[in-house]
Amino acid sequence: MDLSCHCGNVHIKVTQPPSSLTACNCSICFRFAALWGYYQPEEVTVTVKQTVSTYQWGDRCIDFYHCDTCGCATHYLTNNKVPNTKFGINFRMANRLDCEAIPKRHFDGADTWEFIDPPS
């Protein structure tokens, strides 16, 4: 699968779609309106034509990346404060029809830190 930000500055490639996408309601994910697909870093290829920036918040364990040109939140990567590295890709950058075919889960990152719907 190929994903890209709106302007095409950031391209992300994965060999297969995730088993599900996660919509989280924590303060940052709610604002991003992201649908996260999770991978190991070695499963992802990121190509940047110009520049991206990162943003950390809260406990500073996650680096959120966004395109400096169009502003799209593209992906995140946990940093060395987290023992098991996680690569989250914002699947709002995928082809809409491809994204719609992937089951969605809702995660309560704002309060309980648990999934609030059963797996589909």
Side-chain angles (χ1 to χ4, degrees):
M1 291 187 81
D2 292 312
L3 303 92
S4 70
C5 64
H6 193 260
C7 71
N9 176 42
V10 180
H11 286 267
I12 299 177
K13 185 175 180 99
V14 293
T15 57
Q16 61 188 15
S19 58
S20 66
L21 297 173
T22 300
C24 176
N25 66 356
C26 77
S27 61
I28 189 81
C29 293
F30 180 80
R31 285 170 174 82
F32 284 159
L35 286 173
W36 299 112
Y38 299 113
Y39 293 87
Q40 292 301 308
E42 61 272 8
E43 299 174 309
V44 180
T45 302
V46 177
T47 305
V48 177
K49 292 179 184 175
Q50 294 176 20
T51 59
V52 296
S53 293
T54 59
Y55 174 70
Q56 294 180 344
W57 67 280
D59 55 12
R60 301 192 172 282
C61 291
I62 298 174
D63 295 321
F64 290 94
Y65 289 78
H66 67 271
C67 174
D68 283 342
T69 304
C70 67
C72 286
T74 57
H75 61 287
Y76 77 72
L77 190 60
T78 55
N79 59 35
N80 59 3
K81 293 181 180 181
V82 178
N84 297 317
T85 304
K86 184 186 282 187
F87 199 114
I89 299 172
N90 184 359
F91 266 73
R92 296 281 188 196
M93 297 189 315
N95 175 291
R96 186 178 51 83
L97 294 177
D98 291 341
C99 188
E100 287 176 0
I102 303 169
K104 315 302 185 284
R105 302 278 321 267
H106 293 89
F107 186 76
D108 184 12
D111 295 311
T112 66
W113 207 250
E114 295 177 357
F115 281 98
I116 54 178
D117 56 0
S120 39

